[in-house]
Amino acid sequence: MGFFARLWLAIVSWFKIVFDAGFAARVLAIRDVSALPEGASDTAVLPGARDALPPRREAAPRSDAGQRDAPAPRTDAALRLLALLQREGRLVDFCEEELSGFPDAQVGAAARSVHAGCRKALREAFAPVALREEPEGAEVVLDAGFDPRAVRLTGNVAGNPPFRGTLRHHGWRASAARLPVSDGDPSLLAPAEVELA
């Protein structure tokens, strides 16, 4: 699964976790399975979940202060994107905030602001365009030779094209890739702010 597909999955999943308690519980169960030591019995937590997880990586070494040292990034593109989402939408601040003490209306208002900023950042950096021009809910026909990477078939998939179905999601393609240039430590997502009196 490519970087941008994983990024989009993370963003969509984050909102689903915040607003769907059942989905959040299932994600927590998978997370708990991945935190178990290798060889521990996890079938009571979520049968078969370990098979769906990526191979376990070694833990990052600890520094003298007991904190885990951040692994060296393989590329700074992901960090530059995260810094952009933080700058425009304060995504990291929102994700790191403990929201359990806030009323739903206040969380919703904050999510609206984060959404607007992150949407602006994604549009400037990637200029996403819909893969299909038809409105969602429209009947579509997929002839032989359609790109299975660009169209995922769901429902009762049997036989050979042409396929006739309902467009549930129009899909996205990045028409650009304009990430800001990092001028220094790419792991620095946002500077600390100190207000002087």
Side-chain angles (χ1 to χ4, degrees):
M1 193 174 194
F3 169 75
F4 294 112
R6 293 192 315 272
L7 174 67
W8 181 247
L9 178 63
I11 292 169
V12 170
S13 297
W14 182 85
F15 279 101
K16 190 155 175 73
I17 288 168
V18 170
F19 296 106
D20 182 346
F23 181 78
R26 292 191 301 276
V27 170
L28 182 61
I30 291 172
R31 182 177 162 266
D32 288 346
V33 168
S34 66
L36 290 173
E38 196 66 49
S41 173
D42 52 54
T43 55
V45 179
L46 188 62
R50 185 173 296 284
D51 297 336
L53 296 172
R56 187 181 302 273
R57 290 188 294 186
E58 293 298 318
R62 291 185 179 270
S63 66
D64 293 338
Q67 300 288 331
R68 290 197 184 274
D69 294 332
R74 288 179 287 186
T75 176
D76 69 347
L79 294 171
R80 288 185 287 147
L81 175 59
L82 188 55
L84 177 65
L85 293 171
Q86 167 62 20
R87 186 181 72 224
E88 297 295 336
R90 299 189 71 99
L91 180 66
V92 176
D93 292 344
F94 187 73
C95 292
E96 290 298 314
E97 184 72 37
E98 178 56 55
L99 299 177
S100 60
F102 294 96
D104 289 347
Q106 195 170 355
V107 173
R112 188 177 305 278
S113 173
V114 171
H115 172 266
C118 291
R119 182 182 198 187
K120 176 181 182 266
L122 288 175
R123 285 181 170 182
E124 288 176 0
F126 304 109
V129 294
L131 286 174
R132 304 286 306 202
E133 295 180 3
E134 303 92 344
E136 292 178 0
E139 292 296 316
V140 295
V141 176
L142 300 173
D143 293 319
F146 74 93
D147 184 355
R149 294 169 301 174
V151 179
R152 180 175 51 228
L153 300 177
T154 61
N156 185 18
V157 180
N160 296 313
F163 295 116
R164 181 177 299 278
T166 304
L167 183 64
R168 295 296 179 205
H169 187 273
H170 52 66
W172 294 107
R173 178 186 310 277
S175 65
R178 297 180 294 261
L179 287 176
V181 176
S182 177
D183 57 346
D185 180 3
S187 69
L188 181 61
L189 302 179
E193 295 179 18
V194 177
E195 182 178 353
L196 304 179

